[in-house]
Amino acid sequence: MEMHTDVLLVTANVGSLFDNVGEIEGDWLREFFMTVHMHKPRFVALHFQEVGGKDYMVNMGHADNFFWTIESSSEMDDFDRVCVYVDSNFRAVDSFTALGSMYFIHKSLKNIQQYDFNVKEFKAVSGHNKYMGSLEGVTTIEKEKFPKNFWPDFKWSRKGYMRTRWLIHNQGLDLVNVHLFHDASNLIACNSSPSVYSANRKKALRYVINRFVYSPFFASFYMPYINLCHSLLTSLSFLCLCFVLLHIETKLFAYLHQAVFRENNGKELLKYDKEISAFHDVITEEEIHFPPSYPYSEDYTKPTQYMNTRCPAWCDRILMSHSARDIIHRREEGESGVVYNTLGSNVCMGDHKPVFLFFPMKTITH
């Protein structure tokens, strides 16, 4: 007999929360808890990138408080099983990714198991399980920092992936938290299309996908800049003469009119969002109906304004294999169904707006 289990997946680059400790966190958490209250999921996955922020050696001490605030909140009382994984050991240079993943299981969800990659079998989940540090020896996750030879001409940074595997009412799925390479320079990104940065991201994404292609998977991505910069410069060359004044430097993307990225949620620009198209043979995505998720102002009073650092783009995404898309239940018109959107559209959430996917998942009972 087919059942449906409501699932909430959230991907969030939280570097700004740690770089501005205490200034953004309260509203960020309220927006997340409101989303949980609104959709009432039975399984919640929170995938974080850049835990600790840019100055992670100083800020990582706040990580435990941040994750504990979520885990112990009264808003999450109905979730009686919790699994937390935070790669926070920045001294382990060869493996540090600054990724964090949290999973919440509602008390009404009885038939759920998590995979142990060491003994290669599913096991029951009970209580609160929290792992912070290097995560070496933790057998319920797979974590890897991307090999240095993926981008030999650039500084090796905390980019990689973290995977967990679940069995919910006899339906298995992988959940993958991925942080891909950013565009270090707007000028270099504009030199060619696709850019050298885009090529690096493509290599890393293919590396990840090849590991999970045989099982249904959802992957939350931080995909910086999506190579919009060069495409927009080409497509807006006439508009630049008319009303858009651009000033571009290595870390400056200054322009007069932000409306072009807001009107109709930036739909006219989505055609230049091409990096994922190379993977359509194995992955897909729900239709985007929200404006670019980055780079928003970190000024508390300007929650809807973009910073003039990068070309606004849909950097934060939740992608899925085609087999994973098949297990999403599409409800009848008028029923609460699939929602793919940002958190905190009118609230300062840092430079990234978190992106969430809520959906009823088809599960099987005997």
Side-chain angles (χ1 to χ4, degrees):
M1 182 177 74
E2 184 177 283
M3 294 181 59
H4 307 131
T5 301
D6 287 344
V7 174
L8 176 66
L9 309 179
V10 181
T11 182
N13 185 304
V14 290
S16 287
L17 270 68
F18 287 89
D19 291 328
N20 302 276
V21 173
E23 297 178 15
I24 301 171
E25 185 178 304
D27 283 343
W28 196 103
L29 292 171
R30 274 190 291 275
E31 291 295 318
F32 167 66
F33 294 139
M34 283 173 54
T35 302
V36 172
H37 179 75
M38 178 184 301
H39 294 289
K40 297 178 172 55
R42 293 300 177 259
F43 181 82
V44 178
L46 267 169
H47 284 177
F48 299 105
Q49 304 87 38
E50 292 195 22
V51 173
K54 295 180 178 66
D55 198 5
Y56 50 81
M57 292 185 184
V58 175
N59 297 332
M60 194 59 79
H62 182 62
D64 192 60
N65 290 335
F66 174 72
F67 287 95
W68 173 246
T69 299
I70 300 175
E71 182 184 355
S72 62
S73 170
S74 60
E75 285 86 349
M76 306 301 287
D77 278 350
D78 286 339
F79 296 87
D80 60 354
R81 286 147 292 169
V82 181
C83 298
V84 182
Y85 307 94
V86 185
D87 183 12
S88 58
N89 184 12
F90 54 81
R91 293 182 179 85
V93 178
D94 291 343
S95 61
F96 175 55
T97 63
L99 293 172
S101 299
M102 303 185 79
Y103 304 97
F104 294 86
I105 303 167
H106 196 272
K107 62 186 179 182
S108 66
L109 181 54
K110 303 301 183 184
N111 190 358
I112 182 169
Q113 296 177 302
Q114 187 178 12
Y115 194 68
D116 186 312
F117 291 97
N118 185 40
V119 298
K120 295 180 171 53
E121 64 180 37
F122 286 98
K123 295 183 176 181
V125 183
S126 61
H128 286 224
N129 307 278
K130 190 171 185 177
Y131 306 94
M132 297 188 70
S134 69
L135 304 185
E136 296 297 326
V138 179
T139 60
T140 45
I141 63 161
E142 282 190 344
K143 178 185 74 73
E144 184 178 356
K145 186 171 185 174
F146 290 126
K148 195 171 185 177
N149 61 11
F150 272 26
W151 66 109
D153 298 328
F154 302 97
K155 181 182 177 181
W156 199 26
S157 59
R158 25 178 198 159
K159 305 295 191 294
Y161 71 88
M162 182 186 295
R163 169 169 72 145
T164 58
R165 175 173 288 174
W166 303 86
L167 189 66
I168 304 176
H169 286 298
N170 299 308
Q171 176 60 65
L173 75 157
D174 284 359
L175 297 176
V176 192
N177 184 357
V178 186
H179 190 182
L180 296 178
F181 315 125
H182 69 288
D183 288 9
S185 167
N186 292 329
L187 297 176
I188 294 175
C190 293
N191 284 341
S192 62
S193 183
S195 71
V196 61
Y197 305 121
S198 176
N200 286 341
R201 286 191 288 272
K202 182 177 180 180
K203 182 188 296 185
L205 182 52
R206 181 62 71 181
Y207 180 82
V208 172
I209 289 174
N210 285 346
R211 279 153 174 71
F212 319 131
V213 72
Y214 298 111
S215 58
F217 68 85
F218 291 86
S220 61
F221 284 86
Y222 168 42
M223 301 187 65
Y225 321 134
I226 314 296
N227 206 42
L228 277 177
C229 189
H230 182 270
S231 300
L232 286 175
L233 287 177
T234 303
S235 65
L236 297 181
S237 57
F238 174 71
L239 296 178
C240 289
L241 294 174
C242 296
F243 62 86
V244 179
L245 178 62
L246 286 174
H247 178 192
I248 298 178
E249 297 178 11
T250 299
K251 294 186 178 180
L252 178 70
F253 191 90
Y255 51 99
L256 291 181
H257 298 281
Q258 295 198 0
V260 68
F261 297 101
R262 302 185 193 286
E263 291 175 356
N264 200 19
N265 291 323
K267 186 177 181 180
E268 289 301 312
L269 302 178
L270 271 171
K271 59 188 173 184
Y272 306 113
D273 181 75
K274 297 178 179 179
E275 288 195 16
I276 294 174
S277 61
F279 303 93
H280 279 173
D281 58 324
V282 287
I283 59 175
T284 185
E285 182 180 19
E286 290 296 312
E287 191 171 346
I288 293 176
H289 294 292
F290 51 86
S293 62
Y294 174 87
Y296 280 92
S297 172
E298 294 171 309
D299 185 332
Y300 187 84
T301 65
K302 301 174 181 177
T304 62
Q305 182 172 312
Y306 290 110
M307 289 192 291
N308 289 331
T309 53
R310 306 289 187 185
C311 177
W314 290 269
C315 296
D316 307 272
R317 314 283 278 266
I318 297 176
L319 311 179
M320 67 196 81
S321 64
H322 293 287
S323 56
R325 187 182 183 89
D326 289 341
I327 64 176
I328 294 179
H329 174 63
R330 309 287 171 173
R331 290 175 174 163
E332 300 295 327
E333 186 176 350
E335 291 185 294
S336 176
V338 181
V339 183
Y340 189 34
N341 207 345
T342 55
L343 289 176
S345 59
N346 295 306
V347 174
C348 181
M349 305 289 280
D351 55 354
H352 289 261
K353 297 289 188 188
V355 168
F356 75 91
L357 175 64
F358 170 79
F359 63 94
M361 185 179 75
K362 300 175 184 175
T363 52
I364 303 167
T365 60
H366 297 298

